[in-house]
Amino acid sequence: MFIDIHAHAYLFPCPPQDGHTQFCTPEEVLRRYDELGIEKGVLLPLVGPEEYLPQSNQEILEICRLYPDRFVPFCNIDPRGISNSPFTDFRPWLDWYRKHGCLGVGEFMPNLSFRDPLVLNFFRQVDAMSCPLTFDVTVWIGRGYGLVDEPGLPHLEFCLKSFPNMKILGHGPAFWSEMGVLETVGDRGGYPTYPIREEGVVPKLFRRYANLWGDLSAGSGYNALARDPDHAVRFLNEFQDRLCYGTDLCTADGSMPLAPFLLDLKKTGRISEAVFKKIARENAIRLLHLGE
């Protein structure tokens, strides 16, 4: 029924990370998939050093080799890697990973500005390959992980305009919180609970840039919809061709409320069966050319 556009798994159980996320093993992810009727998921390696223990792309490829019917791989490279230069040629690595089955890039989340020369150099090369890329975004440099933008996401817009062949999957609180106009700038990067009284920048960017897609995973994607179901119905219907179901399941027993939310909208007739199918699985199949 569902394809998960955003999943994580470590082949071996992670050691305790002093309060940080205890990521799932592939078997734990598949147990939850079977509970919710998720057919397969896209595994995103976590390579950045800011928050989590870095993970190799080869580990993701090995998980997908063990469970080829349930997982598909993305690759990931830190733009500071290889030579920490805005002139680094990443194509030998990107080409190798694509040759070995990686269907996109992400979760790309170095704690750098969207317009940092290192990031723009990397994006330029992904754009030349016409690959999709999943990012996470935050509101500050020097704390935690994620690309950094300002209120209104002007640097993301610069990248959408500059790299039209790279389908960018928006993800994370600092992206989805701007579904509506925020009451204060302090609500950026959080989970606003108030209804959407005025449309924010996210739907406007969707209208303006065909290369912007939506990764609805995690608490941020769910909150962007559930905080105002009436607005969610309009948003899902208008952008039905570029929204993808996801979980971002991190811990083995983590909450996954998006599936029941979408199923309820379908059951009550607020979104059609056709819209539901696109968001649940068909958009991911088309984006990633699954089955070809």
Side-chain angles (χ1 to χ4, degrees), residues 4-287:
D4 182 2
I5 200 69
H6 191 130
H8 300 291
Y10 279 71
L11 192 56
F12 305 101
C14 295
Q17 297 190 34
D18 190 24
H20 288 65
T21 299
Q22 184 77 25
F23 281 98
C24 303
T25 64
E27 294 75 20
E28 289 171 329
V29 175
L30 293 177
R31 171 176 64 83
R32 301 301 307 279
Y33 277 11
D34 291 342
E35 292 171 2
L36 272 179
I38 299 174
E39 175 185 341
K40 64 178 61 179
V42 178
L43 286 183
L44 309 176
L46 298 170
V47 304
E50 288 96 345
E51 188 84 5
Y52 302 121
L53 292 175
Q55 181 177 36
S56 74
N57 293 294
Q58 282 80 349
E59 180 178 356
I60 295 297
L61 289 172
E62 176 63 9
I63 296 171
C64 294
R65 186 189 69 82
L66 292 171
Y67 300 100
D69 296 328
R70 304 301 301 273
F71 294 121
V72 295
F74 270 28
C75 67
N76 205 357
I77 301 176
D78 193 301
R80 296 162 290 198
I82 315 303
S83 62
N84 196 27
S85 164
F87 304 104
T88 301
D89 181 6
F90 292 103
R91 285 300 297 268
W93 288 269
L94 291 169
D95 289 341
W96 190 91
Y97 288 125
R98 182 154 73 170
K99 179 181 176 182
H100 286 78
C102 293
L103 303 180
V105 176
E107 183 177 359
F108 188 78
M109 53 186 196
N111 190 222
L112 300 168
S113 168
F114 270 100
R115 296 185 69 166
D116 187 290
L118 297 171
V119 173
L120 296 178
N121 174 55
F122 186 78
F123 280 0
R124 191 176 301 112
Q125 295 175 57
V126 176
D127 181 69
M129 301 173 68
S130 299
C131 278
L133 178 140
T134 301
F135 70 78
D136 205 340
V137 58
T138 188
V139 299
W140 46 51
I141 287 178
R143 181 176 175 186
Y145 61 85
L147 292 167
V148 178
D149 210 336
E150 298 174 9
L153 303 174
H155 302 316
L156 170 60
E157 182 168 14
F158 174 84
C159 292
L160 288 164
K161 183 183 299 184
S162 301
F163 307 113
N165 298 314
M166 180 173 69
K167 293 183 173 64
I168 300 178
L169 286 138
H171 167 71
F175 176 78
W176 285 119
S177 64
E178 298 220 39
M179 180 75 93
V181 172
L182 299 172
E183 291 185 354
T184 73
V185 73
D187 290 335
R188 287 188 70 229
Y191 299 84
T193 58
Y194 45 84
I196 293 173
R197 301 179 181 91
E198 182 181 346
E199 188 175 76
V201 72
V202 165
K204 295 174 183 177
L205 291 176
F206 267 95
R207 290 191 195 102
R208 185 170 292 182
Y209 300 100
N211 55 327
L212 177 61
W213 286 56
D215 170 345
L216 293 170
S217 69
S220 56
Y222 171 72
N223 185 72
L225 301 176
R227 60 182 283 199
D228 191 331
D230 291 335
H231 183 273
V233 168
R234 295 192 294 272
F235 182 79
L236 294 170
N237 281 315
E238 182 174 357
F239 304 111
Q240 59 185 270
D241 294 316
R242 285 183 281 140
L243 299 172
C244 296
Y245 169 84
T247 66
D248 199 4
L249 179 67
C250 295
T251 59
D253 296 311
S255 175
M256 294 194 289
L258 180 61
F261 179 83
L262 294 173
L263 285 165
D264 183 68
L265 291 181
K266 182 185 71 163
K267 180 180 178 180
T268 57
R270 305 196 72 189
I271 61 173
S272 68
E273 178 76 19
V275 169
F276 173 83
K277 286 182 177 179
K278 287 180 182 181
I279 296 166
R281 63 190 310 276
E282 291 174 358
N283 290 340
I285 291 172
R286 179 167 52 88
L287 175 66

